[in-house]
């Protein structure tokens, strides 16, 4: 089955023909092409039901992709021809200009380990699952028309690949990957809106020994590249170079100072320490190397004192499901002592968060969310181990991440922030049996002032 490519202008023309009706919560789809001149009849309109509280997030030749608002979005493909629609299961979804939609098993496609490709060209939607870890530890980068874009780390550099979603792949065959860009001294990640409906992709890259910034544009059909080396002040770079890291964690005071510190893992697996300064204009000092080999971990968290010695510790779960403790030393030159294995079986969780003392005991506690969205509490014993888990509740899978924020509201108890575009603040109660008050919707990254939130 051939997927027709749709250009940006044509896609815009289709979008223009879809207008909101004055009443009834429906869309009225008008023909994109006028009726023949010899015909005296008026163009016919087709009323298409539109999901309430939803936004259009993609489109193709035969229909459009919508996403409902809220913590548990529903993704639905609606057809222009007759208004029929199909719900596409998944925690995240995207389209790329063709009648194909990709959904992921996590709230962000970029961190999804399993994706599904849905062929929505016909009412009988067919789907195929791709396990990105089994394929070769790839990450989702984008979908351009009928081309799937993936990235992975090779030798400390991020390399970008593409695979055409042809009939063989859509029937369950293994995608045939071709390298696009990246390799030694060329470290490339997908730029914002990196993929287009013109069968090309744009990447943010660091090149050379000095890791100078560059934009690299790749033609997906021919592989031809166009490099745009950036000079100072060209294009804005959020975080001033922090894009080299794939994990950044605030871990409390691990270096012996008076301010909380942060650690960052680069794409080669090296871990770096940024000491807190207490200066709001320059909150972190220059980085110092902690060591390599941290790429074996898929979850890293810190900020809790789980050993009871008054110093913050770090916990990390590896890809085999083992949980490891790195006790804090208070020494900036060697902030952690040798790791200690806490136990196995942690692969069932897709999020772990060291939240400090939730239950009023002397040691820090740990929250873990399983893949079904259930949140569990592990109470710290104060010796680097945890008591048996207790269930906090279900429904936490709607959040992309959970962040411990300490005592944010000044009541002496540890709190939690859950985020997925919007943020939800959970005030701590001090009671391990019900550790949080009901969530309160906040907008810390948008227009809420600190005083109105806490």
């Amino acid at each position: 089955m051939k997927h027709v490519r749709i250009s940006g202008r044509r896609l815009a023309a289709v979008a223009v023909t879809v207008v909101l009706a004055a009443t009834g919560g429906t869309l009225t789809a008008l023909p994109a092409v006028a009726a023949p001149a010899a015909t005296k009849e008026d163009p016919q309109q087709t009323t298409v039901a539109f999901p309430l509280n939803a936004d259009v997030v993609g489109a193709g030749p035969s229909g459009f992709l919508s996403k409902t608002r809220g913590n548990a979005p529903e993704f639905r493909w609606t057809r222009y021809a007759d208004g029929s629609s199909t719900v596409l299961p998944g925690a995240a979804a995207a389209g790329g200009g063709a009648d194909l939609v990709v959904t992921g098993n996590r709230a962000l496609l970029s961190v999804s380990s399993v994706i599904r490709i849905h062929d929505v060209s016909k009412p009988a939607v067919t789907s195929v699952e791709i396990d990105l870890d089994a394929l070769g530890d790839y990450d989702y980068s984008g979908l351009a028309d009928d081309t799937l874009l993936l990235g992975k780390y090779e030798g400390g550099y991020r390399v970008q690949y593409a695979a055409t979603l042809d009939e063989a792949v859509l029937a369950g065959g293994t995608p045939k990957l071709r390298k696009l860009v990246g390799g030694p001294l060329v470290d490339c990640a997908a730029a914002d809106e990196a993929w287009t409906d013109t069968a090309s992709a744009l990447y943010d890259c660091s090149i050379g020994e000095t890791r100078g910034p560059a934009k690299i544009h790749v033609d997906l059909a021919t592989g031809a590249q166009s490099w745009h080396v950036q000079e100072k002040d060209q294009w804005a770079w959020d975080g001033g170079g922090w894009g080299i890291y794939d994990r950044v964690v605030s871990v409390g005071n691990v270096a012996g100072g008076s301010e909380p510190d942060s650690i960052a893992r680069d794409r080669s697996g090296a871990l770096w320490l940024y000491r807190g300064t207490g200066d709001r204009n320059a909150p972190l000092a220059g980085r110092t190397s902690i060591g390599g080999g941290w790429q074996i971990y898929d979850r890293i968290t810190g900020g809790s004192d789980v050993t009871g010695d008054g110093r913050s510790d770090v916990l990390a779960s590896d890809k085999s499901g083992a949980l490891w403790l790195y006790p804090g030393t208070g020494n900036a030159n060697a902030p952690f002592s040798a790791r200690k294995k806490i136990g196995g079986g942690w692969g069932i969780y897709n999020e772990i968060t060291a939240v400090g003392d939730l239950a009023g005991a002397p040691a820090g506690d740990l929250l873990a969310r399983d893949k079904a969205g259930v949140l569990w509490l592990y109470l710290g014993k104060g010796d680097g181990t945890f008591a048996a888990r207790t269930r906090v509740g279900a429904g936490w899978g709607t959040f992309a991440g959970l962040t411990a924020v300490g005592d944010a509201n000044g009541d002496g108890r540890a709190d939690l922030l859950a985020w997925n575009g919007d943020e939800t603040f959970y005030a701590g109660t001090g009671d391990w049996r019900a550790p949080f008050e009901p969530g309160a919707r906040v907008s810390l990254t948008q227009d809420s002032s600190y005083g109105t939130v806490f």
Side-chain angles (χ1 to χ4, degrees):
M1 189 272 305
K2 183 178 180 181
H3 294 277
V4 180
R5 293 178 175 173
I6 182 167
S7 68
R9 291 182 180 179
R10 185 176 165 199
L11 192 59
V14 171
V16 169
T17 66
V18 181
V19 296
L20 280 172
T23 61
T26 60
L27 291 178
T28 301
L30 305 178
V33 180
T39 304
K40 295 182 180 181
E41 298 178 358
D42 292 332
Q44 297 298 307
Q45 297 183 355
T46 302
T47 301
V48 181
F50 189 77
L52 294 176
N53 299 317
D55 299 299
V56 175
V57 294
S62 71
F64 61 88
L65 177 67
S66 62
K67 172 186 177 183
T68 58
R69 301 165 194 151
N71 292 330
E74 177 189 81
F75 299 94
R76 182 182 294 269
W77 183 264
T78 301
R79 299 167 188 85
Y80 299 129
D82 58 7
S84 62
S85 63
T86 302
V87 174
L88 303 176
D99 284 335
L100 294 171
V101 174
V102 58
T103 58
N105 65 333
R106 294 177 182 167
L108 297 174
L109 280 169
S110 59
V111 298
S112 292
S113 58
V114 176
I115 62 173
R116 295 187 69 86
I117 308 298
H118 306 272
D119 182 351
V120 294
S121 60
K122 298 178 180 179
V125 174
T126 58
S127 304
V128 61
E129 182 176 288
I130 300 176
D131 187 325
L132 298 181
D133 289 343
L135 187 63
D137 207 18
Y138 288 90
D139 297 322
Y140 174 85
S141 293
L143 180 66
D145 198 45
D146 59 357
T147 302
L148 178 65
L149 304 177
L150 303 175
K152 69 177 300 185
Y153 293 108
E154 295 180 357
Y157 296 92
R158 190 164 178 81
V159 183
Q160 298 296 325
Y161 288 85
T164 301
L165 298 174
D166 54 21
E167 292 184 1
V169 175
L170 296 177
T174 302
K176 297 179 180 178
L177 293 163
R178 58 186 186 276
K179 181 178 175 181
L180 294 178
V181 66
L185 302 183
V186 182
D187 191 350
C188 293
D192 289 338
E193 298 300 320
W195 52 96
T196 73
D197 61 337
T198 55
S200 62
L202 180 69
Y203 295 99
D204 283 332
C205 302
S206 300
I207 59 175
E209 296 287 352
T210 61
R211 303 185 70 86
K215 299 280 189 180
I216 300 180
H217 180 267
V218 182
D219 185 298
L220 298 178
T222 65
Q225 299 179 5
S226 177
W227 289 41
H228 305 274
V229 179
Q230 297 168 232
E231 302 295 338
K232 185 178 180 180
D233 297 330
Q234 284 186 308
W235 291 295
W237 288 79
D238 294 339
W242 286 76
I244 66 174
Y245 301 117
D246 61 6
R247 291 287 188 280
V248 179
V249 182
S250 178
V251 291
N253 176 15
V254 297
S258 59
E259 304 297 335
D261 308 312
S262 295
I263 58 174
R265 184 183 69 185
D266 67 26
R267 293 164 181 166
S268 71
L271 196 68
W272 301 86
L273 170 67
Y274 285 86
R275 300 186 64 180
T277 65
D279 181 355
R280 65 180 298 170
N281 296 315
L284 300 174
R287 70 178 189 173
T288 56
S289 176
I290 294 175
W294 287 74
Q295 72 274 10
I296 66 172
Y297 300 114
D298 56 3
R299 306 290 170 204
I300 302 173
T301 187
S304 284
D305 173 21
V306 300
T307 58
D309 62 0
R311 293 188 289 264
S312 295
D313 307 306
V314 163
L315 295 154
S317 62
D318 64 27
K319 296 178 181 179
S320 72
L323 184 67
W324 299 86
L325 167 67
Y326 284 83
T329 65
N331 181 352
N333 295 319
F336 306 115
S337 59
R339 71 177 187 171
K340 300 177 181 179
K341 186 175 181 179
I342 293 178
W346 289 76
I348 65 174
Y349 300 116
N350 58 22
E351 185 84 10
I352 59 172
T353 305
V355 287
D357 177 14
L358 276 180
D365 306 317
L366 184 67
L367 288 172
R369 183 184 66 190
D370 66 28
K371 295 175 182 178
V374 177
L375 191 65
W376 300 88
L377 171 62
Y378 287 84
L379 294 173
K381 294 181 178 180
D383 60 359
T385 64
F386 298 95
R389 70 180 189 176
T390 58
R391 191 176 191 267
V392 176
W396 292 80
T398 60
F399 297 112
L402 307 173
T403 302
V405 291
D407 178 18
N409 59 5
D411 64 357
R413 295 186 287 265
D415 306 312
L416 182 71
L417 191 72
W419 49 273
N420 185 19
D422 295 324
E423 296 87 24
T424 303
F425 176 72
Y426 290 89
T429 65
D431 182 355
W432 64 270
R433 290 162 296 189
F436 300 112
E437 299 284 356
R441 183 68 59 83
V442 296
S443 297
L444 300 182
T445 58
Q446 299 178 35
D447 55 3
S448 295
S449 67
Y450 186 90
T452 63
V453 174
F454 304 121

